[in-house]
mmCIF file of all heavy atoms in Angstrom:
data_model
loop_
_atom_site.group_PDB
_atom_site.id
_atom_site.type_symbol
_atom_site.label_atom_id
_atom_site.label_comp_id
_atom_site.label_asym_id
_atom_site.label_seq_id
_atom_site.Cartn_x
_atom_site.Cartn_y
_atom_site.Cartn_z
ATOM 1 N N ALA S 27 0.852 -1.195 0.000
ATOM 2 C CA ALA S 27 0.000 0.000 0.000
ATOM 3 C C ALA S 27 0.885 1.241 0.000
ATOM 4 O O ALA S 27 1.232 1.777 1.045
ATOM 5 C CB ALA S 27 -0.920 -0.002 1.224
ATOM 6 N N LYS S 28 1.286 1.674 -1.197
ATOM 7 C CA LYS S 28 2.122 2.874 -1.318
ATOM 8 C C LYS S 28 1.300 4.060 -0.869
ATOM 9 O O LYS S 28 0.308 4.421 -1.501
ATOM 10 C CB LYS S 28 2.556 3.032 -2.786
ATOM 11 C CG LYS S 28 3.373 4.290 -3.077
ATOM 12 C CD LYS S 28 4.740 4.209 -2.431
ATOM 13 C CE LYS S 28 5.500 5.517 -2.582
ATOM 14 N NZ LYS S 28 6.497 5.721 -1.545
ATOM 15 N N ASP S 29 1.669 4.639 0.285
ATOM 16 C CA ASP S 29 0.830 5.682 0.872
ATOM 17 C C ASP S 29 1.689 6.474 1.844
ATOM 18 O O ASP S 29 2.054 5.973 2.908
ATOM 19 C CB ASP S 29 -0.343 5.025 1.618
ATOM 20 C CG ASP S 29 -1.451 5.999 1.936
ATOM 21 O OD1 ASP S 29 -1.139 7.106 2.400
ATOM 22 O OD2 ASP S 29 -2.626 5.651 1.716
ATOM 23 N N ASP S 30 2.025 7.697 1.482
ATOM 24 C CA ASP S 30 2.942 8.495 2.303
ATOM 25 C C ASP S 30 2.404 8.791 3.696
ATOM 26 O O ASP S 30 3.170 9.065 4.615
ATOM 27 C CB ASP S 30 3.304 9.807 1.595
ATOM 28 C CG ASP S 30 4.291 9.578 0.451
ATOM 29 O OD1 ASP S 30 4.816 8.447 0.350
ATOM 30 O OD2 ASP S 30 4.528 10.516 -0.333
ATOM 31 N N THR S 31 1.075 8.728 3.858
ATOM 32 C CA THR S 31 0.520 8.940 5.200
ATOM 33 C C THR S 31 0.391 7.611 5.949
ATOM 34 O O THR S 31 -0.111 7.579 7.059
ATOM 35 C CB THR S 31 -0.870 9.615 5.132
ATOM 36 O OG1 THR S 31 -1.790 8.697 4.536
ATOM 37 C CG2 THR S 31 -0.833 10.902 4.344
ATOM 38 N N VAL S 32 0.825 6.555 5.342
ATOM 39 C CA VAL S 32 0.820 5.183 5.891
ATOM 40 C C VAL S 32 -0.588 4.582 5.934
ATOM 41 O O VAL S 32 -0.800 3.437 5.556
ATOM 42 C CB VAL S 32 1.484 5.112 7.301
ATOM 43 C CG1 VAL S 32 1.595 3.670 7.787
ATOM 44 C CG2 VAL S 32 2.855 5.772 7.294
ATOM 45 N N VAL S 33 -1.559 5.381 6.393
ATOM 46 C CA VAL S 33 -2.919 4.848 6.601
ATOM 47 C C VAL S 33 -3.965 5.619 5.786
ATOM 48 O O VAL S 33 -5.136 5.663 6.159
ATOM 49 C CB VAL S 33 -3.295 4.897 8.103
ATOM 50 C CG1 VAL S 33 -2.504 3.880 8.898
ATOM 51 C CG2 VAL S 33 -3.057 6.288 8.669
ATOM 52 N N GLY S 34 -3.535 6.222 4.670
ATOM 53 C CA GLY S 34 -4.450 7.032 3.848
ATOM 54 C C GLY S 34 -5.321 6.206 2.917
ATOM 55 O O GLY S 34 -5.533 5.001 3.132
ATOM 56 N N GLU S 35 -5.810 6.850 1.851
ATOM 57 C CA GLU S 35 -6.790 6.211 0.963
ATOM 58 C C GLU S 35 -6.271 4.923 0.316
ATOM 59 O O GLU S 35 -6.989 3.931 0.222
ATOM 60 C CB GLU S 35 -7.240 7.209 -0.128
ATOM 61 C CG GLU S 35 -8.080 8.371 0.398
ATOM 62 C CD GLU S 35 -9.201 7.915 1.335
ATOM 63 O OE1 GLU S 35 -9.957 6.976 0.968
ATOM 64 O OE2 GLU S 35 -9.326 8.480 2.442
ATOM 65 N N ASN S 36 -5.014 4.926 -0.124
ATOM 66 C CA ASN S 36 -4.444 3.718 -0.754
ATOM 67 C C ASN S 36 -4.448 2.534 0.212
ATOM 68 O O ASN S 36 -4.786 1.414 -0.150
ATOM 69 C CB ASN S 36 -2.997 3.976 -1.211
ATOM 70 C CG ASN S 36 -2.952 4.547 -2.606
ATOM 71 O OD1 ASN S 36 -3.990 4.768 -3.227
ATOM 72 N ND2 ASN S 36 -1.752 4.788 -3.101
ATOM 73 N N ALA S 37 -4.035 2.831 1.451
ATOM 74 C CA ALA S 37 -3.986 1.775 2.467
ATOM 75 C C ALA S 37 -5.394 1.271 2.783
ATOM 76 O O ALA S 37 -5.637 0.058 2.846
ATOM 77 C CB ALA S 37 -3.301 2.291 3.733
ATOM 78 N N LYS S 38 -6.325 2.196 2.957
ATOM 79 C CA LYS S 38 -7.710 1.812 3.285
ATOM 80 C C LYS S 38 -8.320 0.962 2.173
ATOM 81 O O LYS S 38 -8.992 -0.042 2.440
ATOM 82 C CB LYS S 38 -8.562 3.066 3.527
ATOM 83 C CG LYS S 38 -8.257 3.749 4.853
ATOM 84 C CD LYS S 38 -9.008 5.069 4.976
ATOM 85 C CE LYS S 38 -8.588 5.798 6.262
ATOM 86 N NZ LYS S 38 -9.029 7.178 6.272
ATOM 87 N N LYS S 39 -8.064 1.358 0.930
ATOM 88 C CA LYS S 39 -8.603 0.623 -0.221
ATOM 89 C C LYS S 39 -8.001 -0.791 -0.275
ATOM 90 O O LYS S 39 -8.712 -1.781 -0.460
ATOM 91 C CB LYS S 39 -8.284 1.397 -1.507
ATOM 92 C CG LYS S 39 -8.847 0.798 -2.792
ATOM 93 C CD LYS S 39 -8.632 1.770 -3.963
ATOM 94 C CE LYS S 39 -9.266 1.248 -5.243
ATOM 95 N NZ LYS S 39 -8.540 0.143 -5.847
ATOM 96 N N ALA S 40 -6.669 -0.868 -0.085
ATOM 97 C CA ALA S 40 -5.990 -2.177 -0.143
ATOM 98 C C ALA S 40 -6.525 -3.121 0.927
ATOM 99 O O ALA S 40 -6.787 -4.302 0.663
ATOM 100 C CB ALA S 40 -4.482 -1.989 0.026
ATOM 101 N N VAL S 41 -6.725 -2.590 2.129
ATOM 102 C CA VAL S 41 -7.228 -3.424 3.234
ATOM 103 C C VAL S 41 -8.683 -3.821 2.989
ATOM 104 O O VAL S 41 -9.076 -4.967 3.217
ATOM 105 C CB VAL S 41 -7.061 -2.690 4.594
ATOM 106 C CG1 VAL S 41 -7.740 -3.478 5.720
ATOM 107 C CG2 VAL S 41 -5.576 -2.486 4.917
ATOM 108 N N ALA S 42 -9.479 -2.887 2.485
ATOM 109 C CA ALA S 42 -10.906 -3.168 2.232
ATOM 110 C C ALA S 42 -11.084 -4.276 1.193
ATOM 111 O O ALA S 42 -12.047 -5.047 1.247
ATOM 112 C CB ALA S 42 -11.613 -1.891 1.767
ATOM 113 N N GLU S 43 -10.156 -4.363 0.247
ATOM 114 C CA GLU S 43 -10.290 -5.348 -0.844
ATOM 115 C C GLU S 43 -9.624 -6.697 -0.546
ATOM 116 O O GLU S 43 -9.656 -7.609 -1.372
ATOM 117 C CB GLU S 43 -9.693 -4.741 -2.133
ATOM 118 C CG GLU S 43 -10.528 -3.583 -2.663
ATOM 119 C CD GLU S 43 -9.853 -2.852 -3.826
ATOM 120 O OE1 GLU S 43 -8.707 -3.227 -4.193
ATOM 121 O OE2 GLU S 43 -10.467 -1.903 -4.351
ATOM 122 N N MET S 44 -9.011 -6.815 0.639
ATOM 123 C CA MET S 44 -8.310 -8.065 0.986
ATOM 124 C C MET S 44 -9.267 -9.238 1.134
ATOM 125 O O MET S 44 -10.389 -9.089 1.595
ATOM 126 C CB MET S 44 -7.620 -7.924 2.350
ATOM 127 C CG MET S 44 -6.425 -7.063 2.396
ATOM 128 S SD MET S 44 -5.866 -6.935 4.122
ATOM 129 C CE MET S 44 -4.734 -8.304 4.189
ATOM 130 N N LYS S 45 -8.752 -10.410 0.785
ATOM 131 C CA LYS S 45 -9.467 -11.656 1.090
ATOM 132 C C LYS S 45 -8.741 -12.340 2.257
ATOM 133 O O LYS S 45 -7.575 -12.044 2.524
ATOM 134 C CB LYS S 45 -9.475 -12.577 -0.129
ATOM 135 C CG LYS S 45 -10.282 -12.021 -1.309
ATOM 136 C CD LYS S 45 -10.312 -13.015 -2.459
ATOM 137 C CE LYS S 45 -11.217 -12.532 -3.581
ATOM 138 N NZ LYS S 45 -10.722 -11.286 -4.209
ATOM 139 N N ASP S 46 -9.440 -13.269 2.914
ATOM 140 C CA ASP S 46 -8.815 -14.017 4.017
ATOM 141 C C ASP S 46 -7.517 -14.665 3.526
ATOM 142 O O ASP S 46 -7.472 -15.227 2.422
ATOM 143 C CB ASP S 46 -9.757 -15.112 4.533
ATOM 144 C CG ASP S 46 -10.990 -14.538 5.218
ATOM 145 O OD1 ASP S 46 -11.077 -13.295 5.322
ATOM 146 O OD2 ASP S 46 -11.858 -15.328 5.642
ATOM 147 N N GLY S 47 -6.485 -14.591 4.360
ATOM 148 C CA GLY S 47 -5.210 -15.227 4.023
ATOM 149 C C GLY S 47 -4.289 -14.371 3.178
ATOM 150 O O GLY S 47 -3.190 -14.805 2.821
ATOM 151 N N GLU S 48 -4.716 -13.141 2.866
ATOM 152 C CA GLU S 48 -3.860 -12.249 2.073
ATOM 153 C C GLU S 48 -3.127 -11.256 2.978
ATOM 154 O O GLU S 48 -3.446 -11.115 4.166
ATOM 155 C CB GLU S 48 -4.697 -11.509 1.008
ATOM 156 C CG GLU S 48 -5.202 -12.446 -0.076
ATOM 157 C CD GLU S 48 -5.971 -11.732 -1.180
ATOM 158 O OE1 GLU S 48 -6.315 -10.534 -1.037
ATOM 159 O OE2 GLU S 48 -6.252 -12.405 -2.190
ATOM 160 N N ILE S 49 -2.152 -10.557 2.380
ATOM 161 C CA ILE S 49 -1.277 -9.658 3.147
ATOM 162 C C ILE S 49 -1.243 -8.281 2.494
ATOM 163 O O ILE S 49 -1.084 -8.164 1.281
ATOM 164 C CB ILE S 49 0.168 -10.217 3.207
ATOM 165 C CG1 ILE S 49 0.204 -11.602 3.879
ATOM 166 C CG2 ILE S 49 1.110 -9.253 3.921
ATOM 167 C CD1 ILE S 49 1.520 -12.360 3.677
ATOM 168 N N VAL S 50 -1.362 -7.249 3.329
ATOM 169 C CA VAL S 50 -1.086 -5.878 2.894
ATOM 170 C C VAL S 50 0.102 -5.369 3.700
ATOM 171 O O VAL S 50 0.136 -5.517 4.929
ATOM 172 C CB VAL S 50 -2.309 -4.949 3.102
ATOM 173 C CG1 VAL S 50 -1.904 -3.474 3.002
ATOM 174 C CG2 VAL S 50 -3.397 -5.244 2.079
ATOM 175 N N VAL S 51 1.095 -4.802 3.019
ATOM 176 C CA VAL S 51 2.238 -4.181 3.691
ATOM 177 C C VAL S 51 2.060 -2.671 3.623
ATOM 178 O O VAL S 51 1.929 -2.099 2.541
ATOM 179 C CB VAL S 51 3.577 -4.577 3.025
ATOM 180 C CG1 VAL S 51 4.754 -3.921 3.749
ATOM 181 C CG2 VAL S 51 3.747 -6.096 3.008
ATOM 182 N N LEU S 52 2.041 -2.028 4.796
ATOM 183 C CA LEU S 52 1.900 -0.575 4.850
ATOM 184 C C LEU S 52 3.250 0.100 4.615
ATOM 185 O O LEU S 52 4.306 -0.521 4.758
ATOM 186 C CB LEU S 52 1.349 -0.144 6.218
ATOM 187 C CG LEU S 52 -0.017 -0.704 6.630
ATOM 188 C CD1 LEU S 52 -0.389 -0.186 8.015
ATOM 189 C CD2 LEU S 52 -1.097 -0.335 5.610
ATOM 190 N N GLU S 53 3.206 1.383 4.297
ATOM 191 C CA GLU S 53 4.433 2.155 4.103
ATOM 192 C C GLU S 53 5.099 2.417 5.459
ATOM 193 O O GLU S 53 4.484 2.244 6.525
ATOM 194 C CB GLU S 53 4.080 3.466 3.368
ATOM 195 C CG GLU S 53 5.246 4.306 2.886
ATOM 196 C CD GLU S 53 6.321 3.546 2.084
ATOM 197 O OE1 GLU S 53 7.122 2.836 2.716
ATOM 198 O OE2 GLU S 53 6.377 3.701 0.855
ATOM 199 N N ASN S 54 6.360 2.785 5.421
ATOM 200 C CA ASN S 54 7.212 3.063 6.588
ATOM 201 C C ASN S 54 6.498 3.920 7.648
ATOM 202 O O ASN S 54 6.146 5.075 7.395
ATOM 203 C CB ASN S 54 8.461 3.799 6.077
ATOM 204 C CG ASN S 54 9.529 3.967 7.130
ATOM 205 O OD1 ASN S 54 9.286 3.812 8.311
ATOM 206 N ND2 ASN S 54 10.728 4.300 6.668
ATOM 207 N N THR S 55 6.311 3.357 8.842
ATOM 208 C CA THR S 55 5.595 4.092 9.906
ATOM 209 C C THR S 55 6.295 5.396 10.273
ATOM 210 O O THR S 55 5.658 6.334 10.738
ATOM 211 C CB THR S 55 5.455 3.224 11.177
ATOM 212 O OG1 THR S 55 6.751 2.767 11.583
ATOM 213 C CG2 THR S 55 4.545 2.037 10.953
ATOM 214 N N ARG S 56 7.606 5.460 10.034
ATOM 215 C CA ARG S 56 8.331 6.693 10.393
ATOM 216 C C ARG S 56 8.120 7.819 9.386
ATOM 217 O O ARG S 56 8.611 8.921 9.597
ATOM 218 C CB ARG S 56 9.819 6.407 10.584
ATOM 219 C CG ARG S 56 10.059 5.593 11.838
ATOM 220 C CD ARG S 56 11.426 5.796 12.407
ATOM 221 N NE ARG S 56 11.587 4.955 13.588
ATOM 222 C CZ ARG S 56 12.742 4.514 14.035
ATOM 223 N NH1 ARG S 56 13.860 4.825 13.411
ATOM 224 N NH2 ARG S 56 12.814 3.758 15.127
ATOM 225 N N PHE S 57 7.374 7.536 8.322
ATOM 226 C CA PHE S 57 6.962 8.628 7.437
ATOM 227 C C PHE S 57 6.026 9.582 8.191
ATOM 228 O O PHE S 57 5.792 10.700 7.740
ATOM 229 C CB PHE S 57 6.268 8.093 6.172
ATOM 230 C CG PHE S 57 7.228 7.564 5.125
ATOM 231 C CD1 PHE S 57 8.594 7.489 5.373
ATOM 232 C CD2 PHE S 57 6.769 7.143 3.888
ATOM 233 C CE1 PHE S 57 9.481 7.015 4.404
ATOM 234 C CE2 PHE S 57 7.643 6.669 2.906
ATOM 235 C CZ PHE S 57 9.003 6.604 3.162
ATOM 236 N N ARG S 58 5.507 9.134 9.314
ATOM 237 C CA ARG S 58 4.659 9.990 10.150
ATOM 238 C C ARG S 58 5.472 10.717 11.229
ATOM 239 O O ARG S 58 4.898 11.370 12.105
ATOM 240 C CB ARG S 58 3.532 9.165 10.777
ATOM 241 C CG ARG S 58 2.505 8.658 9.779
ATOM 242 C CD ARG S 58 1.649 9.766 9.180
ATOM 243 N NE ARG S 58 0.695 10.327 10.129
ATOM 244 C CZ ARG S 58 -0.571 9.966 10.224
ATOM 245 N NH1 ARG S 58 -1.069 9.042 9.395
ATOM 246 N NH2 ARG S 58 -1.363 10.515 11.115
ATOM 247 N N GLY S 59 6.803 10.599 11.160
ATOM 248 C CA GLY S 59 7.695 11.371 12.034
ATOM 249 C C GLY S 59 7.394 11.210 13.505
ATOM 250 O O GLY S 59 7.246 10.106 14.020
ATOM 251 N N ALA S 60 7.270 12.351 14.200
ATOM 252 C CA ALA S 60 7.079 12.352 15.655
ATOM 253 C C ALA S 60 5.763 11.695 16.071
ATOM 254 O O ALA S 60 5.645 11.207 17.191
ATOM 255 C CB ALA S 60 7.140 13.779 16.191
ATOM 256 N N GLU S 61 4.773 11.680 15.166
ATOM 257 C CA GLU S 61 3.512 10.999 15.510
ATOM 258 C C GLU S 61 3.779 9.528 15.822
ATOM 259 O O GLU S 61 3.133 8.937 16.675
ATOM 260 C CB GLU S 61 2.510 11.099 14.356
ATOM 261 C CG GLU S 61 1.990 12.496 14.106
ATOM 262 C CD GLU S 61 1.033 12.493 12.933
ATOM 263 O OE1 GLU S 61 1.514 12.585 11.779
ATOM 264 O OE2 GLU S 61 -0.182 12.379 13.167
ATOM 265 N N GLU S 62 4.750 8.928 15.100
ATOM 266 C CA GLU S 62 5.147 7.546 15.369
ATOM 267 C C GLU S 62 6.072 7.484 16.575
ATOM 268 O O GLU S 62 5.802 6.779 17.545
ATOM 269 C CB GLU S 62 5.823 6.956 14.120
ATOM 270 C CG GLU S 62 6.716 5.746 14.361
ATOM 271 C CD GLU S 62 5.993 4.440 14.680
ATOM 272 O OE1 GLU S 62 4.890 4.454 15.264
ATOM 273 O OE2 GLU S 62 6.552 3.385 14.390
#
């Protein structure tokens, strides 16, 4: 899920479309800086 906010629209869409047994990899959590 290429998504600079880590949990933005791309990530939400990828997770929503997942089937059981599949994997979504989120972008680097440190892209959120001090929030992480």
Side-chain angles (χ1 to χ4, degrees):
K28 177 69 186 155
D29 195 315
D30 285 350
T31 67
V32 186
V33 289
E35 291 313 311
N36 272 1
K38 287 173 185 167
K39 183 172 184 286
V41 173
E43 291 172 358
M44 288 175 91
K45 294 183 175 64
D46 293 358
E48 291 183 349
I49 300 166
V50 165
V51 180
L52 301 179
E53 189 50 283
N54 189 344
T55 55
R56 290 206 181 154
F57 281 5
R58 292 291 289 263
E61 292 179 275
E62 159 73 330

